[in-house]
Amino acid sequence: MIDLQCNTKLAGDYKSKSQIARILTEDWCGRTLYCAACTSDRLHQSTANTPGLDFSCNSCGETYQLKSSSRYPANRIVDSAYSAMISAIRSDHVPNLLALHYSQHWSISNLLLIPRFSYSESAIEKRRPLGPNARRAGWIGCNILLSKIPPSGIVNVITEGIVVPKSTVRNAFQKMKPLAGLRPDARGWSLDVLRVVEQLPEKFSLADVYQFEVELSRLHPGNKHVRDKIRQQLQVLRDMKYLRFGGRGDYERI
Ligand SMILES: [Zn+2]
């Protein structure tokens, strides 16, 4: 069990459970987390109150944002302002996300890593504006929908209290890394087609991918040639070694 309680004195006089959780989990991560992108075994906690940035790697410069919750992030991760998230995605300035799930008894149950190039606008859900009585009335937040991220873009770091080996985490990060080389608008398409392909059996046909045409059209309403785009993206994924083309219009995931 990965116990946070040994450091509860850090939480001092805080009474709010979410504030205590933030302090304990950030402390644990500061002592324990390593960089998934390089061989550095330490991450540095950023100065308090830096918006949207919690940890960074001094060796490679990757940034990580920690989201802690007492609920398992089964479907979505609550994030901050919708407009800020969309502009960060479009300008390729999103951090790697760490979704930490702690138990009622202050132990770490699960930790997911979502590399920054694994999520696109397709995964961002706009929340309803805050009501007129809220302190920030009219403010619009967002959720990150895990179901709209390719399964290989969601990396387990801790699963039900069991720590996944560093090398496995780093390999999973590197597997997604070729997507970092794409422009953010192009990457959105590649991620959506990769997610579809990862839902199919290991060997599949073009017709199998075309079954998702309506869903992909909804995610990209400006594109009128979705089938052309699907074929183009299958080539992109092949060039990145996620797929191999068979002889007769069939495909295989690698
Ligand atoms: Zn690093």
Side-chain angles (χ1 to χ4, degrees):
M1 192 169 74
I2 304 157
D3 197 0
L4 294 166
Q5 222 161 8
C6 56
N7 270 307
T8 41
K9 62 179 187 300
L10 278 174
D13 295 331
Y14 283 113
K15 294 282 181 286
S16 145
K17 198 163 180 184
S18 64
Q19 277 174 322
I20 296 171
R22 183 175 166 83
I23 288 165
L24 294 185
T25 53
E26 282 193 352
D27 168 67
W28 179 84
C29 289
R31 285 183 289 112
T32 316
L33 279 183
Y34 54 91
C35 186
C38 73
T39 54
S40 170
D41 286 334
R42 267 192 73 74
L43 289 181
H44 290 267
Q45 195 167 346
S46 60
T47 333
N49 299 322
T50 309
L53 173 68
D54 293 304
F55 294 93
S56 61
C57 173
N58 283 355
S59 299
C60 72
E62 286 288 340
T63 58
Y64 295 80
Q65 189 174 67
L66 175 69
K67 305 275 178 195
S68 297
S69 173
S70 58
R71 275 190 299 189
Y72 179 71
N75 303 311
R76 48 175 54 83
I77 299 169
V78 178
D79 209 280
S80 53
Y82 174 79
S83 57
M85 173 57 95
I86 295 296
S87 62
I89 288 177
R90 290 182 183 170
S91 61
D92 215 0
H93 282 101
V94 290
N96 299 292
L97 291 175
L98 290 164
L100 187 150
H101 165 220
Y102 56 86
S103 76
Q104 280 187 334
H105 309 291
W106 300 116
S107 67
I108 297 176
S109 305
N110 296 284
L111 178 61
L112 301 176
L113 164 67
I114 302 170
R116 58 186 168 77
F117 33 78
S118 298
Y119 60 105
S120 69
E121 284 183 53
S122 299
I124 308 305
E125 179 181 59
K126 195 178 197 171
R127 295 170 70 189
R128 284 217 303 269
L130 295 184
N133 298 323
R135 190 167 54 83
R136 289 184 294 170
W139 184 84
I140 301 174
C142 71
N143 296 318
I144 299 168
L145 301 176
L146 299 184
S147 62
K148 294 284 190 272
I149 297 175
S152 57
I154 301 172
V155 180
N156 290 310
V157 182
I158 297 171
T159 305
E160 294 181 15
I162 307 293
V163 179
V164 175
K166 268 183 210 176
S167 57
T168 307
V169 172
R170 285 174 171 150
N171 287 344
F173 188 95
Q174 289 305 323
K175 192 187 167 202
M176 294 301 282
K177 190 80 188 283
L179 289 151
L182 300 176
R183 283 198 334 267
D185 55 333
R187 190 190 304 146
W189 261 106
S190 305
L191 284 168
D192 289 335
V193 174
L194 180 61
R195 175 177 57 80
V196 162
V197 160
E198 289 190 349
Q199 290 172 53
L200 294 171
E202 211 166 290
K203 289 187 178 175
F204 59 92
S205 69
L206 190 56
D208 294 330
V209 190
Y210 283 164
Q211 284 179 31
F212 293 85
E213 185 179 358
V214 173
E215 186 194 327
L216 291 168
S217 308
R218 278 198 210 107
L219 291 171
H220 300 274
N223 195 300
K224 302 291 172 232
H225 306 283
V226 174
R227 289 191 173 207
D228 294 346
K229 200 71 188 173
I230 287 172
R231 288 196 305 277
Q232 179 208 60
Q233 290 306 313
L234 290 171
Q235 287 176 13
V236 170
L237 296 176
R238 176 197 60 187
D239 294 346
M240 289 182 176
K241 311 257 188 294
Y242 294 118
L243 301 179
R244 80 169 63 90
F245 285 12
R248 277 171 275 163
D250 50 344
Y251 302 83
E252 190 179 359
R253 275 189 283 124
I254 298 174

